[in-house]
Amino acid sequence: MSCWLLKKMGSSYESEGTYFEEKEVSLMEIGSGNYGCSHYKRRCKIRAPCCGDIFDCRHCHNEAKNSLETNPLDRHDIPRHEIEKVICSLCGTEQDAQQYCINCGVCMGKYYCAKCKFFDDDITKNQYHCDECGICRTGGKDNFFHCKTCGCCYSKEMKDKHRCVERAMHHNCPICFEFIFDTMKDITVLCCGHTIHLECLKEMEKHYRYTCPVCSKSLWDMSKLWSKIDQEIASTPMPAMYQNKMVWILCNDCSANSHVQFHVIAHKCLSCKSYNTRQTRGDTATTCSSGVAEIVS
């Protein structure tokens, strides 16, 4: 075979390869970003296996089927792992869940998880599937680890540094009551190990709430505030009739019981010096003066 023929054939193969590469890129990009919903950009809809209705995504289904307008007896969430059928947004062909449409060949999601039947065109989220969580997460697999005790994925920065709470994310947010495990909102892990939506935590701060809504432990180091309360108590002496009044307190931070002098402002834990305490009972042995007893009666 002549060198000229080989060169011609080589040129032909190269042109064919370029053609198929361009076609694949075209199918990957056509319609990208123009379809989907407020939750995900994708080029397909899903048919819910539970009710047979068609929605853009599982969140759209759950919002519609759990709305106040829906009969309480008919409200339900979609069984996400049971989704089998999808409808191409470009040609309308219903088919088994797969990345490329069997009719027009368009890519229905640049990120596709065959286990979750999950599609998303926004790959800047760095999606990955966690086998132990059983769902897809965002942020990049190399940046997270799965804690078997907490039953969820945490940033590698928290490895060996967080307090484990069994199934920490398998519950509703204690503020807004949305299920945290598969939420799309940002989550933060408190010092005590409990989890909460970041926006809910910020809302708590606006209302000067600095304790965990689940266990009442302090959200962070409060030593500066404790020092200010020390000064406030020192400058606010109690009346003489209360000088000998003692009470029992329980510390929300260290769980220690303390027997301390009563003060109207706050009570300090004798163990960890925290003011995040609650009075559990008075002390019958050291009550107020008889004058106060008469007022109370």
Side-chain angles (χ1 to χ4, degrees):
M1 190 179 291
S2 67
C3 292
W4 175 83
L5 184 57
L6 285 171
K7 285 180 181 178
K8 187 175 181 181
M9 291 176 66
S11 176
S12 175
Y13 290 148
E14 188 177 339
S15 298
E16 266 187 48
T18 303
Y19 168 76
F20 285 120
E21 285 177 11
E22 289 177 353
K23 185 177 181 181
E24 188 176 343
V25 170
S26 175
L27 293 173
M28 181 69 76
E29 295 297 335
I30 187 170
S32 177
N34 298 327
Y35 297 90
C37 57
S38 60
H39 307 106
Y40 304 110
K41 292 298 180 184
R42 50 171 60 169
R43 285 162 280 177
C44 68
K45 298 177 184 291
I46 60 172
R47 184 175 292 281
C50 44
C51 53
D53 294 337
I54 297 173
F55 293 90
D56 284 305
C57 74
R58 67 181 183 87
H59 294 289
C60 292
H61 169 280
N62 294 343
E63 288 173 3
K65 295 299 181 179
N66 291 294
S67 65
L68 294 176
E69 292 75 23
T70 304
N71 186 323
L73 297 177
D74 296 329
R75 293 175 189 172
H76 65 280
D77 287 341
I78 192 170
R80 59 190 297 174
H81 292 98
E82 295 178 19
I83 296 172
E84 294 181 354
K85 298 293 182 180
V86 298
I87 299 92
C88 176
S89 298
L90 277 76
C91 70
T93 303
E94 184 166 352
Q95 57 204 282
D96 292 336
Q98 54 197 300
Q99 190 168 19
Y100 292 88
C101 176
I102 59 172
N103 182 45
C104 65
V106 72
C107 174
M108 294 186 284
K110 292 180 181 178
Y111 174 83
Y112 171 66
C113 176
K115 295 178 180 178
C116 293
K117 308 297 190 296
F118 175 64
F119 302 78
D120 197 350
D121 270 332
D122 184 5
I123 54 177
T124 62
K125 300 174 185 176
N126 294 320
Q127 300 95 327
Y128 69 96
H129 181 84
C130 175
D131 286 323
E132 292 177 283
C133 283
I135 61 175
C136 291
R137 297 201 175 278
T138 60
K141 190 171 185 177
D142 293 338
N143 300 320
F144 290 84
F145 75 99
H146 184 89
C147 177
K148 293 185 177 180
T149 302
C150 297
C152 50
C153 289
Y154 285 151
S155 168
K156 284 187 176 178
E157 295 178 358
M158 296 177 59
K159 197 168 187 178
D160 302 322
K161 296 179 181 177
H162 72 285
R163 178 176 294 182
C164 285
V165 172
E166 191 170 354
R167 296 173 63 81
M169 286 192 189
H170 295 257
H171 64 85
N172 296 335
C173 172
I175 301 299
C176 69
F177 300 109
E178 179 187 348
F179 191 57
I180 283 184
F181 184 69
D182 56 2
T183 183
M184 292 185 66
K185 300 175 184 176
D186 290 334
I187 300 169
T188 186
V189 183
L190 306 179
C191 296
C192 55
H194 292 119
T195 53
I196 186 175
H197 285 131
L198 184 58
E199 62 182 42
C200 291
L201 178 63
K202 291 179 178 179
E203 194 65 28
M204 285 177 57
E205 291 178 41
K206 291 179 183 178
H207 293 83
Y208 307 104
R209 305 296 299 179
Y210 303 120
T211 58
C212 172
V214 178
C215 66
S216 297
K217 292 185 184 298
S218 299
L219 295 178
W220 43 70
D221 182 12
M222 304 285 284
S223 54
K224 290 184 178 179
L225 178 60
W226 301 160
S227 296
K228 289 182 180 180
I229 295 178
D230 280 337
Q231 296 172 13
E232 189 69 22
I233 289 177
S235 62
T236 312
M238 293 296 290
M241 65 181 69
Y242 288 100
Q243 290 295 323
N244 296 323
K245 180 173 175 61
M246 303 292 288
V247 293
W248 283 96
I249 61 170
L250 172 67
C251 179
N252 293 323
D253 287 336
C254 72
S255 301
N257 287 288
S258 301
H259 194 214
V260 299
Q261 187 174 357
F262 172 79
H263 200 284
V264 70
I265 294 177
H267 299 117
K268 188 174 187 176
C269 173
L270 300 180
S271 179
C272 69
K273 312 304 179 187
S274 168
Y275 278 105
N276 180 17
T277 62
R278 65 184 73 185
Q279 183 177 333
T280 55
R281 56 192 172 92
D283 193 335
T284 54
T286 54
T287 58
C288 307
S289 66
S290 57
V292 175
E294 290 174 3
I295 294 172
V296 172
S297 60

